[in-house]
Coordinates of all heavy atoms in Angstrom, one line a residue:
M2 N -10.0 14.1 -18.5 CA -10.4 13.9 -17.1 C -9.2 13.4 -16.3 O -8.5 12.5 -16.7 CB -11.6 12.9 -17.1 CG -12.1 12.7 -15.7 SD -13.7 11.8 -15.8 CE -13.5 10.8 -14.4
Y3 N -9.0 14.0 -15.2 CA -7.9 13.6 -14.3 C -8.3 12.5 -13.4 O -9.3 12.5 -12.7 CB -7.5 14.9 -13.5 CG -6.4 14.6 -12.5 CD1 -5.1 14.6 -13.0 CD2 -6.5 14.5 -11.2 CE1 -4.0 14.4 -12.2 CE2 -5.5 14.3 -10.3 CZ -4.2 14.2 -10.9 OH -3.1 14.0 -10.0
K4 N -7.5 11.5 -13.4 CA -7.6 10.3 -12.5 C -6.4 10.1 -11.7 O -5.3 10.4 -12.1 CB -7.8 9.0 -13.4 CG -7.9 7.7 -12.7 CD -9.4 7.3 -12.5 CE -9.4 5.9 -12.0 NZ -10.1 5.7 -10.8
T5 N -6.6 9.7 -10.4 CA -5.5 9.4 -9.5 C -5.4 7.9 -9.3 O -6.3 7.2 -9.1 CB -5.8 10.1 -8.2 OG1 -6.0 11.5 -8.4 CG2 -4.6 9.9 -7.2
Y6 N -4.1 7.5 -9.3 CA -3.8 6.1 -9.1 C -2.8 6.1 -7.8 O -2.1 7.0 -7.5 CB -3.1 5.5 -10.3 CG -3.9 5.6 -11.5 CD1 -3.8 6.6 -12.4 CD2 -4.9 4.6 -11.8 CE1 -4.6 6.7 -13.5 CE2 -5.7 4.7 -12.9 CZ -5.6 5.8 -13.7 OH -6.4 5.9 -14.8
Y7 N -2.9 5.0 -7.2 CA -2.1 4.8 -5.9 C -1.3 3.6 -5.9 O -1.7 2.5 -6.3 CB -3.1 4.8 -4.7 CG -4.0 5.9 -4.6 CD1 -5.2 5.9 -5.3 CD2 -3.7 7.0 -3.9 CE1 -6.1 7.0 -5.2 CE2 -4.6 8.1 -3.8 CZ -5.8 8.1 -4.5 OH -6.6 9.1 -4.4
V8 N 0.0 3.7 -5.4 CA 0.8 2.6 -5.0 C 0.7 2.6 -3.5 O 0.9 3.6 -2.9 CB 2.2 2.7 -5.5 CG1 3.1 1.6 -4.9 CG2 2.3 2.7 -7.0
Y9 N 0.4 1.5 -2.9 CA 0.2 1.4 -1.5 C 0.8 0.2 -0.8 O 1.2 -0.8 -1.5 CB -1.3 1.4 -1.2 CG -2.0 0.2 -1.7 CD1 -2.3 -0.9 -0.8 CD2 -2.4 0.1 -3.0 CE1 -2.9 -2.0 -1.3 CE2 -3.1 -1.0 -3.5 CZ -3.3 -2.1 -2.6 OH -3.9 -3.2 -3.0
M10 N 1.0 0.3 0.5 CA 1.6 -0.8 1.3 C 0.7 -1.1 2.4 O 0.3 -0.2 3.2 CB 3.0 -0.5 1.8 CG 4.0 -0.3 0.7 SD 5.7 -0.2 1.5 CE 6.6 0.5 0.1
M11 N 0.3 -2.3 2.6 CA -0.5 -2.8 3.7 C 0.4 -3.7 4.5 O 1.2 -4.4 4.0 CB -1.7 -3.7 3.2 CG -2.6 -3.0 2.2 SD -3.6 -1.7 3.0 CE -4.7 -2.6 4.1
S12 N 0.2 -3.6 5.9 CA 1.0 -4.3 6.8 C 0.1 -5.1 7.8 O -1.0 -4.7 8.0 CB 1.9 -3.3 7.6 OG 2.6 -4.0 8.6
S13 N 0.7 -6.1 8.3 CA 0.0 -6.8 9.4 C 0.2 -6.0 10.7 O 1.0 -5.1 10.7 CB 0.6 -8.2 9.6 OG 2.0 -8.1 10.0
N14 N -0.6 -6.3 11.7 CA -0.6 -5.5 12.9 C 0.8 -5.6 13.6 O 1.3 -4.7 14.2 CB -1.6 -6.0 13.9 CG -3.0 -5.4 13.6 OD1 -3.1 -4.4 12.9 ND2 -4.0 -6.1 14.0
S15 N 1.5 -6.8 13.4 CA 2.8 -7.0 14.0 C 3.9 -6.4 13.1 O 5.1 -6.4 13.4 CB 3.1 -8.5 14.1 OG 3.1 -9.1 12.9
N16 N 3.5 -5.9 11.9 CA 4.4 -5.3 10.9 C 5.4 -6.3 10.3 O 6.4 -6.0 9.7 CB 5.2 -4.1 11.5 CG 4.2 -3.0 11.8 OD1 3.4 -2.6 11.0 ND2 4.3 -2.5 13.0
K17 N 5.1 -7.6 10.5 CA 6.0 -8.7 9.9 C 5.7 -8.9 8.5 O 6.6 -9.2 7.7 CB 5.9 -9.9 10.7 CG 6.5 -9.8 12.1 CD 6.5 -11.1 12.8 CE 7.1 -11.0 14.2 NZ 7.2 -12.2 14.9
A18 N 4.5 -8.8 8.1 CA 4.1 -9.1 6.7 C 3.8 -7.7 6.0 O 3.3 -6.8 6.6 CB 2.9 -10.0 6.6
L19 N 4.2 -7.6 4.7 CA 4.0 -6.4 4.0 C 3.6 -6.7 2.6 O 4.1 -7.6 1.9 CB 5.4 -5.6 4.0 CG 5.4 -4.2 3.4 CD1 4.5 -3.3 4.3 CD2 6.8 -3.7 3.3
Y20 N 2.5 -6.0 2.1 CA 2.0 -6.2 0.8 C 2.0 -4.9 0.0 O 1.7 -3.8 0.6 CB 0.5 -6.7 0.9 CG -0.2 -6.7 -0.5 CD1 0.0 -7.9 -1.3 CD2 -1.0 -5.7 -0.9 CE1 -0.6 -7.9 -2.5 CE2 -1.6 -5.8 -2.2 CZ -1.4 -6.9 -3.0 OH -2.0 -6.9 -4.2
I21 N 2.4 -4.9 -1.2 CA 2.5 -3.7 -2.1 C 1.5 -3.9 -3.2 O 1.5 -5.0 -3.9 CB 3.9 -3.5 -2.6 CG1 4.9 -3.3 -1.5 CG2 3.9 -2.2 -3.5 CD1 6.3 -3.1 -1.9
G22 N 0.7 -2.9 -3.5 CA -0.3 -3.0 -4.6 C -0.4 -1.7 -5.3 O 0.1 -0.6 -4.9
V23 N -1.3 -1.7 -6.3 CA -1.6 -0.5 -7.1 C -3.1 -0.5 -7.3 O -3.7 -1.6 -7.5 CB -0.8 -0.4 -8.4 CG1 -1.2 -1.5 -9.4 CG2 -1.0 0.9 -9.1
T24 N -3.7 0.7 -7.3 CA -5.2 0.8 -7.5 C -5.6 2.2 -7.9 O -4.8 3.1 -7.8 CB -5.9 0.5 -6.1 OG1 -7.3 0.5 -6.4 CG2 -5.6 1.5 -5.0
G25 N -6.8 2.3 -8.5 CA -7.3 3.5 -8.9 C -8.3 4.1 -7.9 O -8.8 5.2 -8.0
D26 N -8.6 3.2 -6.8 CA -9.6 3.6 -5.8 C -9.0 3.1 -4.4 O -9.4 2.0 -4.0 CB -11.0 3.1 -6.1 CG -12.0 3.5 -5.1 OD1 -11.7 4.0 -4.0 OD2 -13.2 3.4 -5.5
L27 N -8.3 3.9 -3.8 CA -7.6 3.5 -2.6 C -8.5 3.2 -1.4 O -8.4 2.2 -0.7 CB -6.6 4.6 -2.1 CG -5.7 4.2 -0.9 CD1 -4.8 3.0 -1.3 CD2 -4.8 5.4 -0.5
V28 N -9.6 4.0 -1.2 CA -10.5 3.7 -0.2 C -11.2 2.4 -0.3 O -11.3 1.5 0.6 CB -11.6 4.8 -0.1 CG1 -12.7 4.5 0.9 CG2 -10.9 6.2 0.3
R29 N -11.7 2.1 -1.6 CA -12.3 0.8 -1.8 C -11.4 -0.3 -1.7 O -11.7 -1.4 -1.1 CB -12.9 0.8 -3.2 CG -13.6 -0.5 -3.6 CD -14.2 -0.5 -5.0 NE -13.2 -0.2 -6.0 CZ -12.4 -1.1 -6.6 NH1 -12.5 -2.4 -6.2 NH2 -11.5 -0.8 -7.5
R30 N -10.2 -0.2 -2.2 CA -9.2 -1.3 -2.1 C -8.8 -1.6 -0.7 O -8.7 -2.8 -0.3 CB -7.9 -1.0 -2.9 CG -6.9 -2.1 -3.0 CD -7.5 -3.4 -3.5 NE -8.1 -3.3 -4.8 CZ -7.5 -3.4 -6.0 NH1 -6.2 -3.6 -6.1 NH2 -8.2 -3.3 -7.1
V31 N -8.6 -0.6 0.1 CA -8.3 -0.8 1.6 C -9.4 -1.5 2.3 O -9.2 -2.5 3.0 CB -7.9 0.5 2.3 CG1 -7.8 0.3 3.8 CG2 -6.6 1.1 1.7
Q32 N -10.6 -1.1 2.0 CA -11.8 -1.8 2.6 C -11.8 -3.3 2.2 O -12.1 -4.1 3.0 CB -13.1 -1.1 2.1 CG -13.3 0.2 2.8 CD -14.6 0.9 2.3 OE1 -14.9 0.8 1.1 NE2 -15.3 1.5 3.2
Q33 N -11.5 -3.6 0.9 CA -11.5 -4.9 0.5 C -10.4 -5.7 1.2 O -10.6 -6.9 1.6 CB -11.2 -5.0 -1.0 CG -12.3 -4.5 -1.9 CD -12.0 -4.4 -3.4 OE1 -10.9 -4.1 -3.7 NE2 -13.0 -4.7 -4.2
H34 N -9.2 -5.1 1.4 CA -8.2 -5.8 2.2 C -8.6 -6.1 3.6 O -8.5 -7.1 4.2 CB -6.9 -5.0 2.2 CG -6.1 -5.1 0.9 ND1 -5.7 -6.2 0.4 CD2 -5.8 -4.1 0.1 CE1 -5.0 -6.0 -0.8 NE2 -5.1 -4.7 -1.0
K35 N -9.2 -5.1 4.3 CA -9.7 -5.1 5.7 C -10.7 -6.2 5.9 O -10.8 -6.8 6.9 CB -10.1 -3.8 6.2 CG -9.0 -2.8 6.4 CD -9.5 -1.5 6.9 CE -8.4 -0.5 7.2 NZ -7.6 -0.8 8.4
T36 N -11.6 -6.4 4.9 CA -12.7 -7.3 5.1 C -12.4 -8.7 4.6 O -13.2 -9.6 4.7 CB -14.0 -6.8 4.3 OG1 -13.7 -6.8 2.9 CG2 -14.5 -5.5 4.8
G37 N -11.2 -8.9 3.9 CA -10.8 -10.2 3.4 C -11.4 -10.5 2.1 O -11.3 -11.6 1.6
E38 N -12.1 -9.5 1.5 CA -12.8 -9.8 0.2 C -11.9 -10.2 -0.9 O -12.3 -11.0 -1.8 CB -13.5 -8.5 -0.2 CG -14.3 -8.5 -1.4 CD -15.0 -7.2 -1.8 OE1 -15.2 -6.4 -0.9 OE2 -15.2 -7.0 -3.0
L39 N -10.6 -9.8 -0.9 CA -9.7 -10.1 -1.9 C -9.0 -11.4 -1.7 O -8.5 -12.0 -2.7 CB -8.6 -9.0 -2.1 CG -9.2 -7.6 -2.4 CD1 -8.0 -6.6 -2.4 CD2 -9.8 -7.7 -3.8
G40 N -9.0 -12.0 -0.5 CA -8.4 -13.2 -0.3 C -6.9 -13.1 -0.5 O -6.3 -12.0 -0.4
G41 N -6.2 -14.2 -0.7 CA -4.8 -14.3 -1.1 C -3.9 -13.9 0.1 O -4.2 -14.1 1.3
F42 N -2.8 -13.3 -0.3 CA -1.7 -12.9 0.6 C -2.2 -12.0 1.8 O -1.9 -12.3 3.0 CB -0.6 -12.2 -0.1 CG 0.6 -11.9 0.8 CD1 1.7 -12.8 0.9 CD2 0.7 -10.7 1.4 CE1 2.7 -12.5 1.7 CE2 1.8 -10.3 2.2 CZ 2.8 -11.3 2.4
T43 N -2.9 -11.0 1.5 CA -3.3 -10.0 2.5 C -4.3 -10.7 3.5 O -4.3 -10.3 4.7 CB -3.9 -8.7 2.0 OG1 -5.0 -9.0 1.1 CG2 -2.9 -7.9 1.2
Q44 N -5.1 -11.6 3.1 CA -6.0 -12.3 4.0 C -5.2 -13.3 4.8 O -5.4 -13.4 6.0 CB -7.1 -13.0 3.2 CG -8.1 -13.6 4.1 CD -9.3 -14.3 3.4 OE1 -9.1 -14.7 2.2 NE2 -10.4 -14.4 4.0
K45 N -4.4 -14.1 4.2 CA -3.6 -15.1 4.8 C -2.7 -14.5 6.0 O -2.6 -15.1 7.0 CB -2.7 -15.9 3.8 CG -1.9 -17.0 4.4 CD -1.1 -17.7 3.4 CE -0.3 -18.8 4.0 NZ 0.5 -19.6 3.0
Y46 N -2.1 -13.4 5.7 CA -1.2 -12.8 6.6 C -1.8 -11.6 7.4 O -1.0 -10.8 8.0 CB 0.1 -12.4 5.9 CG 0.9 -13.6 5.4 CD1 0.8 -14.0 4.1 CD2 1.6 -14.4 6.3 CE1 1.5 -15.2 3.7 CE2 2.3 -15.5 5.9 CZ 2.2 -15.9 4.6 OH 2.9 -17.0 4.1
A47 N -3.1 -11.4 7.2 CA -3.8 -10.3 7.9 C -3.2 -8.9 7.7 O -2.9 -8.2 8.7 CB -3.9 -10.6 9.4
C48 N -2.9 -8.6 6.5 CA -2.4 -7.3 6.2 C -3.5 -6.3 6.0 O -4.0 -6.1 4.9 CB -1.5 -7.3 4.9 SG 0.0 -8.3 5.0
H49 N -3.9 -5.7 7.1 CA -5.1 -4.9 7.1 C -4.8 -3.4 7.5 O -5.8 -2.6 7.7 CB -6.1 -5.4 8.1 CG -6.6 -6.8 7.8 ND1 -6.9 -7.7 8.8 CD2 -6.7 -7.5 6.7 CE1 -7.3 -8.9 8.3 NE2 -7.1 -8.8 7.0
K50 N -3.6 -3.1 7.6 CA -3.2 -1.7 8.0 C -2.5 -1.0 6.9 O -1.4 -1.5 6.4 CB -2.3 -1.9 9.2 CG -1.9 -0.6 9.9 CD -1.2 -0.8 11.3 CE 0.0 -1.6 11.2 NZ 0.8 -1.5 12.4
L51 N -3.0 0.1 6.4 CA -2.4 0.9 5.4 C -1.3 1.7 6.0 O -1.6 2.6 6.9 CB -3.4 1.8 4.7 CG -2.9 2.8 3.6 CD1 -2.5 2.0 2.4 CD2 -4.0 3.8 3.3
V52 N -0.1 1.5 5.6 CA 1.1 2.1 6.3 C 1.8 3.1 5.3 O 2.6 3.9 5.8 CB 2.1 1.2 6.9 CG1 1.5 0.4 8.1 CG2 2.6 0.2 5.8
Y53 N 1.5 3.0 4.0 CA 2.2 3.9 3.1 C 1.4 4.0 1.8 O 0.8 3.0 1.4 CB 3.6 3.4 2.8 CG 4.4 4.2 1.8 CD1 5.1 5.3 2.3 CD2 4.4 3.9 0.5 CE1 5.8 6.1 1.4 CE2 5.2 4.6 -0.4 CZ 5.9 5.7 0.1 OH 6.6 6.5 -0.8
Y54 N 1.4 5.2 1.1 CA 0.9 5.2 -0.2 C 1.5 6.4 -0.9 O 1.9 7.4 -0.3 CB -0.7 5.3 -0.2 CG -1.3 6.5 0.3 CD1 -1.6 7.6 -0.4 CD2 -1.6 6.6 1.7 CE1 -2.2 8.7 0.1 CE2 -2.2 7.7 2.3 CZ -2.5 8.8 1.4 OH -3.1 9.9 2.0
E55 N 1.5 6.3 -2.3 CA 1.9 7.4 -3.1 C 0.8 7.6 -4.2 O 0.1 6.7 -4.5 CB 3.2 7.0 -3.9 CG 4.4 6.8 -3.0 CD 5.7 6.4 -3.7 OE1 5.7 6.4 -5.0 OE2 6.6 5.9 -3.1
T56 N 0.7 8.8 -4.7 CA -0.3 9.1 -5.8 C 0.4 9.4 -7.1 O 1.5 9.9 -7.2 CB -1.1 10.3 -5.4 OG1 -0.3 11.5 -5.2 CG2 -1.9 10.1 -4.1
F57 N -0.3 9.0 -8.2 CA 0.2 9.2 -9.5 C -1.0 9.6 -10.4 O -2.1 9.2 -10.2 CB 0.8 7.9 -10.1 CG 2.0 7.4 -9.3 CD1 1.9 6.7 -8.2 CD2 3.2 7.7 -9.8 CE1 3.0 6.2 -7.5 CE2 4.4 7.3 -9.1 CZ 4.2 6.6 -7.9
S58 N -0.7 10.3 -11.5 CA -1.8 10.7 -12.4 C -1.7 9.8 -13.7 O -2.6 9.8 -14.5 CB -1.6 12.2 -12.9 OG -0.3 12.4 -13.4
D59 N -0.7 8.9 -13.7 CA -0.5 8.1 -14.9 C -0.4 6.6 -14.4 O 0.4 6.3 -13.6 CB 0.8 8.4 -15.6 CG 1.0 7.6 -16.9 OD1 1.2 6.4 -16.7 OD2 1.1 8.2 -18.0
I60 N -1.3 5.8 -14.9 CA -1.3 4.4 -14.4 C 0.0 3.6 -14.7 O 0.4 2.8 -13.9 CB -2.5 3.6 -15.0 CG1 -2.6 2.2 -14.4 CG2 -2.5 3.5 -16.5 CD1 -2.9 2.1 -12.9
N61 N 0.6 4.0 -15.8 CA 1.8 3.3 -16.2 C 3.0 3.6 -15.2 O 3.8 2.8 -14.9 CB 2.2 3.6 -17.6 CG 1.3 3.1 -18.6 OD1 0.9 1.9 -18.5 ND2 0.8 3.9 -19.6
Q62 N 3.0 4.9 -14.8 CA 4.0 5.3 -13.7 C 3.7 4.6 -12.4 O 4.6 4.2 -11.7 CB 4.0 6.8 -13.5 CG 4.5 7.6 -14.7 CD 4.4 9.1 -14.4 OE1 3.6 9.6 -13.6 NE2 5.2 9.8 -15.2
A63 N 2.4 4.4 -12.1 CA 2.1 3.8 -10.8 C 2.5 2.3 -10.9 O 3.1 1.8 -9.9 CB 0.6 3.9 -10.6
I64 N 2.2 1.6 -12.0 CA 2.6 0.2 -12.1 C 4.1 0.1 -12.1 O 4.6 -0.9 -11.5 CB 2.0 -0.4 -13.4 CG1 0.5 -0.4 -13.3 CG2 2.6 -1.7 -13.7 CD1 -0.3 -0.8 -14.6
A65 N 4.8 1.0 -12.8 CA 6.3 0.9 -12.8 C 6.8 1.1 -11.4 O 7.8 0.4 -10.9 CB 6.9 2.0 -13.7
R66 N 6.3 2.0 -10.6 CA 6.7 2.3 -9.2 C 6.4 1.0 -8.3 O 7.3 0.7 -7.5 CB 6.0 3.5 -8.7 CG 6.4 3.8 -7.2 CD 7.8 4.2 -7.1 NE 8.0 4.8 -5.7 CZ 9.2 5.0 -5.2 NH1 10.3 4.8 -5.8 NH2 9.3 5.5 -3.9
E67 N 5.2 0.4 -8.5 CA 4.9 -0.8 -7.7 C 5.9 -1.9 -8.0 O 6.5 -2.5 -7.0 CB 3.5 -1.3 -8.1 CG 3.1 -2.6 -7.4 CD 2.0 -3.3 -8.1 OE1 1.8 -3.1 -9.4 OE2 1.3 -4.1 -7.4
K68 N 6.3 -2.1 -9.2 CA 7.2 -3.1 -9.6 C 8.6 -2.8 -9.0 O 9.3 -3.7 -8.5 CB 7.3 -3.3 -11.1 CG 6.1 -4.0 -11.7 CD 6.2 -4.1 -13.2 CE 5.0 -4.7 -13.8 NZ 5.0 -4.8 -15.2
Y69 N 9.0 -1.5 -9.1 CA 10.3 -1.1 -8.6 C 10.3 -1.3 -7.1 O 11.3 -1.9 -6.5 CB 10.4 0.4 -8.9 CG 11.7 1.0 -8.4 CD1 12.9 0.6 -9.0 CD2 11.7 2.0 -7.5 CE1 14.1 1.2 -8.6 CE2 12.9 2.6 -7.1 CZ 14.1 2.2 -7.6 OH 15.3 2.8 -7.2
L70 N 9.3 -0.9 -6.3 CA 9.3 -1.1 -4.9 C 9.3 -2.6 -4.5 O 9.9 -3.0 -3.5 CB 8.1 -0.4 -4.2 CG 8.0 1.1 -4.3 CD1 6.7 1.6 -3.7 CD2 9.2 1.7 -3.5
K71 N 8.6 -3.4 -5.2 CA 8.6 -4.8 -5.0 C 10.0 -5.5 -5.1 O 10.3 -6.5 -4.5 CB 7.6 -5.6 -5.9 CG 6.1 -5.3 -5.4 CD 5.2 -6.1 -6.3 CE 3.8 -6.0 -5.8 NZ 2.8 -6.8 -6.6
G72 N 10.8 -4.9 -5.9 CA 12.2 -5.3 -6.1 C 13.1 -5.0 -5.0 O 14.3 -5.5 -4.9
W73 N 12.7 -4.1 -4.1 CA 13.6 -3.6 -3.0 C 13.7 -4.7 -1.9 O 12.7 -5.5 -1.7 CB 13.0 -2.4 -2.3 CG 13.1 -1.1 -3.1 CD1 13.6 -1.0 -4.4 CD2 12.8 0.2 -2.6 NE1 13.6 0.4 -4.7 CE2 13.1 1.1 -3.7 CE3 12.3 0.7 -1.4 CZ2 12.9 2.4 -3.5 CZ3 12.1 2.0 -1.3 CH2 12.4 2.9 -2.3
K74 N 14.8 -4.7 -1.2 CA 14.9 -5.5 0.0 C 13.9 -5.0 1.1 O 13.6 -3.8 1.1 CB 16.3 -5.5 0.6 CG 17.3 -6.2 -0.3 CD 18.7 -6.2 0.3 CE 19.6 -7.0 -0.6 NZ 20.9 -7.2 0.0
R75 N 13.6 -5.8 2.0 CA 12.6 -5.4 3.0 C 13.1 -4.2 3.9 O 12.3 -3.3 4.2 CB 12.3 -6.6 4.0 CG 11.4 -6.4 5.1 CD 10.0 -5.8 4.7 NE 9.3 -5.3 5.8 CZ 8.3 -5.9 6.4 NH1 7.9 -7.1 6.0 NH2 7.7 -5.4 7.4
S76 N 14.4 -4.2 4.2 CA 14.9 -3.1 5.0 C 14.7 -1.8 4.3 O 14.4 -0.8 5.0 CB 16.4 -3.3 5.3 OG 17.1 -3.4 4.2
R77 N 14.9 -1.7 3.0 CA 14.7 -0.5 2.3 C 13.2 -0.1 2.3 O 12.9 1.1 2.4 CB 15.2 -0.6 0.9 CG 15.3 0.7 0.1 CD 16.1 0.5 -1.1 NE 16.1 1.8 -1.9 CZ 16.4 1.9 -3.1 NH1 16.8 0.8 -3.8 NH2 16.4 3.0 -3.7
K78 N 12.3 -1.0 2.1 CA 10.9 -0.7 2.2 C 10.5 -0.2 3.6 O 9.7 0.8 3.7 CB 10.0 -2.0 1.9 CG 10.2 -2.5 0.5 CD 9.5 -3.9 0.4 CE 9.9 -4.6 -0.9 NZ 9.3 -5.9 -1.0
D79 N 11.1 -0.8 4.6 CA 10.8 -0.3 6.0 C 11.3 1.1 6.2 O 10.6 1.9 6.8 CB 11.5 -1.2 7.0 CG 10.8 -2.6 7.2 OD1 9.5 -2.6 6.9 OD2 11.4 -3.5 7.6
D80 N 12.5 1.4 5.6 CA 13.0 2.8 5.7 C 12.1 3.8 5.0 O 11.9 4.9 5.5 CB 14.4 2.9 5.1 CG 15.5 2.2 5.9 OD1 15.2 1.9 7.1 OD2 16.6 1.9 5.4
L81 N 11.5 3.4 3.9 CA 10.6 4.3 3.1 C 9.4 4.5 4.0 O 8.9 5.7 4.1 CB 10.3 3.7 1.8 CG 9.3 4.5 0.9 CD1 9.8 5.8 0.6 CD2 8.9 3.7 -0.3
I82 N 8.8 3.5 4.5 CA 7.6 3.6 5.4 C 7.9 4.5 6.6 O 7.2 5.5 6.9 CB 7.1 2.3 5.8 CG1 6.6 1.5 4.7 CG2 6.0 2.5 6.9 CD1 6.4 0.0 5.0
D83 N 9.0 4.2 7.2 CA 9.4 5.0 8.4 C 9.7 6.5 8.1 O 9.6 7.3 9.0 CB 10.6 4.4 9.1 CG 10.3 3.0 9.7 OD1 9.1 2.7 9.9 OD2 11.2 2.2 10.0
S84 N 10.1 6.8 6.9 CA 10.4 8.2 6.6 C 9.1 9.1 6.6 O 9.2 10.3 6.8 CB 11.0 8.3 5.2 OG 10.1 8.0 4.2
V85 N 7.9 8.5 6.4 CA 6.7 9.2 6.4 C 5.7 8.8 7.5 O 4.8 9.5 7.8 CB 6.0 9.2 5.0 CG1 6.8 9.9 4.0 CG2 5.6 7.8 4.6
N86 N 5.9 7.6 8.0 CA 5.0 7.0 9.0 C 5.7 6.2 10.0 O 5.6 5.0 10.1 CB 3.9 6.2 8.3 CG 2.8 5.7 9.2 OD1 2.7 6.0 10.3 ND2 2.0 4.8 8.6
P87 N 6.6 6.8 10.8 CA 7.4 6.1 11.8 C 6.7 5.3 12.8 O 7.2 4.3 13.3 CB 8.3 7.1 12.4 CG 7.6 8.4 12.2 CD 6.8 8.2 10.9
A88 N 5.5 5.7 13.2 CA 4.7 5.0 14.2 C 3.9 3.8 13.5 O 3.3 3.1 14.3 CB 3.7 6.0 14.8
R89 N 4.0 3.7 12.2 CA 3.2 2.7 11.5 C 1.7 2.7 11.8 O 1.1 1.7 11.9 CB 3.8 1.3 11.8 CG 5.3 1.1 11.4 CD 5.4 0.9 9.9 NE 6.8 0.8 9.6 CZ 7.4 -0.3 9.1 NH1 6.8 -1.4 8.9 NH2 8.7 -0.2 8.8
K90 N 1.3 4.0 11.9 CA -0.2 4.2 12.1 C -0.9 3.7 10.9 O -0.5 3.8 9.7 CB -0.4 5.7 12.3 CG -1.8 6.1 12.5 CD -1.9 7.7 12.5 CE -3.4 8.0 12.5 NZ -3.6 9.3 11.9
D91 N -2.2 3.3 11.1 CA -3.0 2.9 10.0 C -3.5 4.2 9.3 O -4.4 4.9 9.8 CB -4.2 2.1 10.4 CG -5.1 1.5 9.3 OD1 -4.9 2.0 8.1 OD2 -5.9 0.7 9.6
L92 N -3.0 4.5 8.2 CA -3.3 5.8 7.5 C -4.8 5.8 7.0 O -5.3 6.9 6.7 CB -2.4 6.0 6.3 CG -0.9 6.1 6.7 CD1 0.0 6.2 5.5 CD2 -0.6 7.3 7.6
S93 N -5.4 4.7 6.8 CA -6.8 4.7 6.4 C -7.7 5.2 7.4 O -8.8 5.6 7.0 CB -7.2 3.2 6.0 OG -7.3 2.4 7.1
E94 N -7.3 5.3 8.6 CA -8.2 5.9 9.7 C -8.5 7.4 9.4 O -9.5 7.9 9.8 CB -7.5 5.7 11.0 CG -7.5 4.3 11.5 CD -6.7 4.1 12.8 OE1 -6.2 5.1 13.4 OE2 -6.6 3.0 13.3
D95 N -7.6 8.0 8.6 CA -7.8 9.4 8.3 C -8.8 9.7 7.2 O -9.4 10.8 7.1 CB -6.4 10.0 7.8 CG -5.4 10.1 8.9 OD1 -5.7 10.0 10.0 OD2 -4.2 10.1 8.5
F96 N -9.2 8.6 6.4 CA -10.2 8.9 5.4 C -11.3 7.8 5.3 O -12.1 7.9 4.4 CB -9.5 9.0 4.0 CG -8.6 7.8 3.6 CD1 -9.1 6.7 3.1 CD2 -7.2 8.0 3.7 CE1 -8.3 5.6 2.7 CE2 -6.4 6.9 3.3 CZ -7.0 5.7 2.8
M97 N -11.3 6.9 6.2 CA -12.4 5.9 6.2 C -13.4 6.2 7.4 O -13.1 6.8 8.3 CB -11.8 4.5 6.3 CG -11.0 4.2 5.1 SD -10.4 2.5 5.1 CE -11.9 1.7 4.5

């Protein structure tokens, strides 16, 4: 059975705070961030806007990519987001 995993980035409305995570259900996870259900960093810094995501068929690859991205400097993360979403639009609006 084919399963899809996601590495995603959530941003605050001001784009000052950025959170990187991995999940097997992007729609559900984004809803949890938006409602504050998960608490922690995304609730504290109001990271409710999905600005970037990648898909993987292997959870180990997704986890490795998440760790790799977390090791980047903020400017490099911003460049990656801007390469596919320069307006920093909330991408979850397309599927929620």
Side-chain angles (χ1 to χ4, degrees):
M2 185 166 140
Y3 181 75
K4 175 95 170 127
T5 302
Y6 302 94
Y7 303 87
V8 173
Y9 65 96
M10 294 187 196
M11 301 291 294
S12 176
S13 61
N14 283 335
S15 65
N16 296 310
K17 289 186 179 182
L19 188 64
Y20 174 83
I21 301 174
V23 65
T24 185
D26 186 342
L27 187 61
V28 172
R29 180 180 57 83
R30 185 55 55 87
V31 169
Q32 286 177 323
Q33 290 173 325
H34 285 300
K35 287 180 178 285
T36 62
E38 182 180 334
L39 297 175
F42 182 90
T43 56
Q44 184 178 25
K45 181 178 180 178
Y46 294 99
C48 294
H49 301 150
K50 187 169 60 169
L51 177 68
V52 293
Y53 180 84
Y54 66 93
E55 297 177 12
T56 60
F57 296 85
S58 59
D59 181 298
I60 186 62
N61 295 313
Q62 289 178 339
I64 292 169
R66 178 66 170 168
E67 175 199 26
K68 289 178 181 180
Y69 181 66
L70 292 175
K71 284 183 173 184
W73 286 8
K74 290 184 178 186
R75 175 59 191 257
S76 61
R77 191 168 177 199
K78 294 172 193 175
D79 287 335
D80 289 344
L81 178 61
I82 295 166
D83 291 342
S84 72
V85 295
N86 186 8
R89 300 283 174 114
K90 177 185 170 210
D91 185 351
L92 301 175
S93 69
E94 293 175 358
D95 295 340
F96 55 79
M97 295 185 83

